[in-house]
Amino acid sequence: MTQDMNAMGLVNKAAPEPISKIPASRRIDISQEYANRDDKQIQLNICIIGHVDSGKSTLTGHLSFMLGEIDARTMRKFEHESQKIGKGSFAFAWALDETEEERNRGITMDVGVGHFETPNRRFNVLDAPGHLDFIRNMISGAAQSDVAILVIDAAKNSFESGFESGGQTKEHAILARSLGVQQLIVAVNKLDTMGWSEERFKEIQSKLGDYLYQHVGFKKTSVQFVPVSGLLGINLVSHERPEELKTWYGDKQPTLVDVLDRLKIPTRLLDRPLRMRVTDFFKGGIGSSGGVSVAGNIESGSVQVGDQILVVPGNETGYVKTMQVNGEVANWAVAGDSVVMTLVNLDIMNLSNGCMLCSSKNTVPVTTNFEAQIVVFDIRVPITPGYPVVLHYGSLDEPATIAKLVEVIDKSTGEVTKKNPRCLTKGMTAKVHIKMVQRAIPLETFRDNKQLGRVMLRKNGETIAAGIVNKILTFGS
């Protein structure tokens, strides 16, 4: 832990001390408290992604039940209620698909949130929708994640429909990697419907693996394939396996939980200024307290009760009255934590989905013009100056235009191959200027904050490019 802290710069570097209602003598030494956390207390944010109907919610719900996060009484209630509407096989999915519309339609529409613990890790689970219509919600979930489980339906023709043109398997993989996810677990689900066929497993592993390594940019050492049945609960937690699976997978190969338990903990930007993207907000405080509550993940820095925070855009200030970290009452939180905070002296009208909380002593830039280095995906029409797009940034999606094509770059050498190109086509890496159409957004460069320096560009329901923010060209609105 000490080595990790040195690598993060906690010993020699520190963000400016925030303004606080609490005297310096009574403030918590967060770097010391963080050093006292053991690995199990450190949370990983994990997103469950994949094509619609691949069984993401069922797998996640069953895993949560087997790990004790859902009690037997609640599970019996889900089973009874799902059977009443003729969807008995969806019972486990109801642990995350909570709205009536999601349950009636049998698909995830918003990002379902859950929690579970393995022997050595604690996970905040974001179950992302697989349907194309709700891709913006999937992007919001993946943007908050450290790692991802890509769920594949191994049933006959189902893998192919998700992987080929029009399916969401490829796009979800690209989006996750472009948003900073580096560790990926591929859960080859519903393999029981194929008699636990080793041939089918290896076929999926080969086709999808080649795509992930050669086209998406995942390292082979950071991807693991695991055969599972989310509905039956096989190879999720227990090593008890049917003979058809055991004959080729053996007794000692890892379960899904084994793989989860070995995931690396990413470096947290504790020494940087506070940055927290707001994913939800509501009137009223935690418990019976007054105020306004905000929820989200802390991307960098730290915060404690009594600190003054600034909402950007809007420059409205408030104070942290109470907070919950990973579902438990706490007095402090750091980068990587999932937080709900009650703020006082703040008007809820100044909050919006995608706004950012920061220290009033070290504010996040707000801009309408910036330079990005992008990779162009499989596009039908070349990108030219003035090209309209929808910019996705965390949970924000805002209209923008690619105002200028600066230069084309050789992605292998980094050298400039062409200045002021007339257009950009499939596979090109380029620097461009992007202009927001309606309003300024809070934004940081990739150099200053890797979590907050990534953007996604979409048009007509397709992801056309992704990249990193190189330079902020104008400040303010």
Side-chain angles (χ1 to χ4, degrees):
M1 179 64 70
T2 303
Q3 290 179 342
D4 289 342
M5 290 177 65
N6 281 323
M8 293 179 209
L10 283 179
V11 175
N12 299 317
K13 294 166 65 178
E17 194 73 15
I19 298 172
S20 175
K21 285 188 171 183
I22 297 176
S25 60
R26 292 172 51 201
R27 285 177 57 76
I28 297 168
D29 184 344
I30 290 180
S31 57
Q32 184 59 50
E33 291 292 328
Y34 183 79
N36 293 334
R37 275 187 179 180
D38 59 32
D39 280 353
K40 182 163 182 178
Q41 288 179 295
I42 297 175
Q43 175 168 295
L44 285 168
N45 299 307
I46 187 165
C47 193
I48 317 299
I49 60 176
H51 186 61
V52 64
D53 291 335
S54 59
K56 298 183 295 297
S57 297
T58 295
L59 183 151
T60 307
H62 203 158
L63 180 61
S64 298
F65 173 67
M66 296 177 79
L67 292 173
E69 289 299 319
I70 304 170
D71 59 52
R73 182 179 178 182
T74 302
M75 201 62 245
R76 285 194 297 271
K77 178 186 173 186
F78 289 157
E79 289 172 354
H80 176 68
E81 292 178 350
S82 60
Q83 286 170 358
K84 276 177 31 178
I85 63 170
K87 296 182 180 291
S89 63
F90 286 38
F92 288 113
W94 282 21
L96 293 123
D97 293 343
E98 297 179 338
T99 69
E100 184 177 352
E101 186 175 3
E102 286 180 313
R103 292 179 174 185
N104 287 334
R105 293 179 63 179
I107 60 172
T108 302
M109 298 167 66
D110 204 348
V111 178
V113 179
H115 305 272
F116 60 70
E117 292 185 15
T118 63
N120 296 296
R121 296 287 183 269
R122 175 183 290 173
F123 291 91
N124 182 45
V125 185
L126 302 159
D127 180 30
H131 198 285
L132 180 62
D133 290 351
F134 309 108
I135 193 73
R136 65 185 295 274
N137 294 338
M138 179 270 163
I139 292 172
S140 175
Q144 301 173 57
S145 302
D146 303 307
V147 296
I149 297 177
L150 176 60
V151 181
I152 300 297
D153 184 346
K156 186 177 180 180
N157 297 324
S158 295
F159 164 66
E160 288 75 14
S161 65
F163 187 65
E164 301 303 331
S165 179
Q168 290 301 291
T169 301
K170 286 183 176 179
E171 183 168 28
H172 278 208
I174 289 172
L175 291 171
R177 185 67 191 90
S178 300
L179 290 164
V181 171
Q182 296 185 20
Q183 299 178 81
L184 183 71
I185 299 170
V186 181
V188 182
N189 192 28
K190 306 185 186 181
L191 198 59
D192 55 302
T193 65
M194 301 295 290
W196 295 104
S197 166
E198 179 183 14
E199 182 181 358
R200 180 60 164 169
F201 179 81
K202 287 187 173 179
E203 177 190 9
I204 292 170
Q205 188 177 40
S206 175
K207 288 182 179 178
L208 181 57
D210 286 347
Y211 180 74
L212 294 174
Y213 311 139
Q214 297 175 20
H215 298 281
V216 183
F218 281 104
K219 296 179 181 178
K220 284 188 178 182
T221 54
S222 298
V223 178
Q224 181 138 3
F225 287 76
V226 185
V228 299
S229 170
L231 181 61
L232 302 179
I234 294 173
N235 210 38
L236 299 185
V237 178
S238 170
H239 281 256
E240 292 184 17
R241 294 162 179 151
E243 285 301 320
E244 302 98 315
L245 176 59
K246 195 185 296 184
T247 52
W248 60 270
Y249 198 66
D251 290 317
K252 295 183 179 179
Q253 288 297 314
T255 64
L256 181 59
V257 161
D258 292 336
V259 178
L260 287 166
D261 205 42
R262 297 169 191 166
L263 288 170
K264 296 176 183 176
I265 298 171
T267 300
R268 303 300 190 192
L269 303 177
L270 274 70
D271 62 314
R272 305 294 175 83
L274 172 66
R275 299 289 187 261
M276 174 179 156
R277 284 195 279 217
V278 174
T279 56
D280 193 14
F281 61 94
F282 50 91
K283 194 170 184 178
I286 297 170
S288 58
S289 61
V292 176
S293 293
V294 295
N297 288 335
I298 297 181
E299 305 290 353
S300 64
S302 61
V303 64
Q304 58 183 285
V305 171
D307 281 356
Q308 184 186 72
I309 56 89
L310 182 73
V311 179
V312 177
N315 294 332
E316 182 84 3
T317 59
Y319 286 87
V320 180
K321 184 179 180 181
T322 56
M323 71 168 72
Q324 288 182 343
V325 176
N326 308 329
E328 299 176 1
V329 175
N331 291 321
W332 60 275
V334 296
D337 286 337
S338 177
V339 181
V340 178
M341 293 191 294
T342 298
L343 308 176
V344 293
N345 300 345
L346 186 72
D347 188 344
I348 194 171
M349 298 301 293
N350 290 296
L351 294 171
S352 60
N353 191 30
C355 67
M356 199 173 298
L357 304 186
C358 59
S359 165
S360 54
K361 280 193 171 182
N362 199 319
T363 62
V364 63
V366 176
T367 184
T368 55
N369 291 278
F370 62 94
E371 180 183 274
Q373 182 170 312
I374 63 171
V375 176
V376 181
F377 297 146
D378 190 2
I379 56 174
R380 301 173 187 175
V381 179
I383 295 173
T384 54
Y387 193 86
V389 295
V390 176
L391 180 131
H392 288 260
Y393 180 66
S395 56
L396 275 176
D397 54 297
E398 293 283 333
T401 57
I402 298 177
K404 181 180 180 181
L405 310 182
V406 180
E407 57 194 25
V408 176
I409 299 168
D410 185 314
K411 63 181 178 182
S412 58
T413 66
E415 295 181 357
V416 176
T417 59
K418 190 171 186 178
K419 293 272 192 181
N420 300 314
R422 295 179 62 185
C423 66
L424 302 178
T425 56
K426 175 183 175 180
M428 284 186 171
T429 298
K431 286 183 181 179
V432 299
H433 289 177
I434 297 174
K435 180 178 176 60
M436 306 308 300
V437 172
Q438 294 182 349
R439 61 171 180 162
I441 62 170
L443 193 70
E444 291 221 89
T445 64
F446 186 76
R447 181 185 65 252
D448 290 336
N449 193 315
K450 290 185 178 181
Q451 288 296 108
L452 300 176
R454 301 177 187 272
V455 294
M456 193 82 54
L457 304 178
R458 288 174 58 80
K459 182 178 174 67
N460 297 331
E462 295 182 349
T463 304
I464 63 163
I468 59 175
V469 179
N470 280 345
K471 191 189 304 179
I472 294 175
L473 301 174
T474 62
F475 292 86
S477 56

